[in-house]
Amino acid sequence: MARFVDRFVQDGIDQPIDVIIDPDERDLVDIRQKRLRHHWWAAHREREGLPTRADISASFLDDIADFTAVVSRNGNTLRYESFGKGLARADGRDMTGESVDALPALIGQLFRSVYLLSEMKMAPVFTRHSPPAEIPVDYWLRLVVPFGENIPLEVSHYIVCSIPVARPEPDSAKR
């Protein structure tokens, strides 16, 4: 697959959003995301198609659980099956059991678009974006990987490894 990199602006979101379809190792700065990408591609090669969650080591998934969300797809409904504790702390809420549509409209629309892009390309998608001002994070690094279950070319859920990058301390706080 040809690698695709883009930067776009979404109405209502202040900062540009970086999007990389099928990121390589150099695009990812966090080891958890690099390892998830590696495990996903190894399972993809072995299966010769869309991996299932069972194809990924349970111990590895446990290692990154604090910063991962599992999003299930049932028709057009995208729901957080699980939401890591580290994500909940950074975001200020636990989205487990909630629909992506429960997010503020523009963020929900952005996330839905990224999930569907990952599904359409049947590949990992990496994004870097800034959250709304009320979230105490400078920006998020997100890697979305699609998984299937029983039907080889149908995505049933996504694993999302999201890394919150803290806002820098103001100079007055450093003194």
Side-chain angles (χ1 to χ4, degrees), residues 43-110:
H44 187 275
R45 283 188 299 275
E46 188 172 309
R47 184 174 279 278
E48 296 180 358
L50 189 62
T52 67
R53 237 187 314 187
D55 293 331
I56 307 297
S57 159
S59 63
F60 166 67
L61 292 175
D62 285 346
D63 285 349
I64 65 171
D66 278 353
F67 291 93
T68 58
V70 176
V71 178
S72 62
R73 186 176 198 285
N74 186 1
N76 200 30
T77 302
L78 298 172
R79 185 167 308 285
Y80 288 98
E81 192 176 296
S82 65
F83 199 77
K85 291 176 185 175
L87 298 179
R89 274 191 308 274
D91 193 54
R93 64 183 163 186
D94 183 349
M95 293 292 295
T96 301
E98 298 287 332
S99 167
V100 170
D101 296 329
L103 293 165
L106 296 172
I107 298 298
Q109 179 182 0
L110 169 64

Side-chain angles (χ1 to χ4, degrees), residues 4-165:
F4 181 78
V5 179
D6 197 7
R7 171 174 273 187
F8 68 95
V9 177
Q10 180 174 326
D11 288 341
I13 297 181
D14 296 337
Q15 300 293 319
I17 301 157
D18 295 327
V19 179
I20 303 173
I21 298 171
D22 191 19
D24 65 26
E25 291 275 325
R26 296 168 301 199
D27 297 318
L28 306 173
V29 294
D30 188 85
I31 190 66
R32 293 162 287 201
Q33 291 178 333
K34 288 181 181 193
R35 289 179 62 209
L36 178 57
R37 177 197 170 278
H38 171 79
H39 284 276
W40 188 89
W41 273 115
H44 187 275
R45 283 188 299 275
E46 188 172 309
R47 184 174 279 278
E48 296 180 358
L50 189 62
T52 67
R53 237 187 314 187
D55 293 331
I56 307 297
S57 159
S59 63
F60 166 67
L61 292 175
D62 285 346
D63 285 349
I64 65 171
D66 278 353
F67 291 93
T68 58
V70 176
V71 178
S72 62
R73 186 176 198 285
N74 186 1
N76 200 30
T77 302
L78 298 172
R79 185 167 308 285
Y80 288 98
E81 192 176 296
S82 65
F83 199 77
K85 291 176 185 175
L87 298 179
R89 274 191 308 274
D91 193 54
R93 64 183 163 186
D94 183 349
M95 293 292 295
T96 301
E98 298 287 332
S99 167
V100 170
D101 296 329
L103 293 165
L106 296 172
I107 298 298
Q109 179 182 0
L110 169 64
F111 288 5
R112 178 177 290 280
S113 297
V114 172
Y115 299 141
L116 297 178
L117 178 61
S118 176
E119 179 175 341
M120 183 178 76
K121 296 298 185 178
M122 291 291 181
V125 174
F126 173 78
T127 62
R128 181 188 187 275
H129 67 89
S130 297
E134 64 271 11
I135 307 288
V137 169
D138 193 29
Y139 58 91
W140 289 93
L141 303 172
R142 296 178 77 238
L143 181 66
V144 174
V145 293
F147 286 89
E149 228 167 86
N150 301 322
I151 303 171
L153 295 176
E154 186 174 304
V155 173
S156 61
H157 54 280
Y158 309 86
I159 292 182
V160 185
C161 184
S162 296
I163 308 302
V165 177

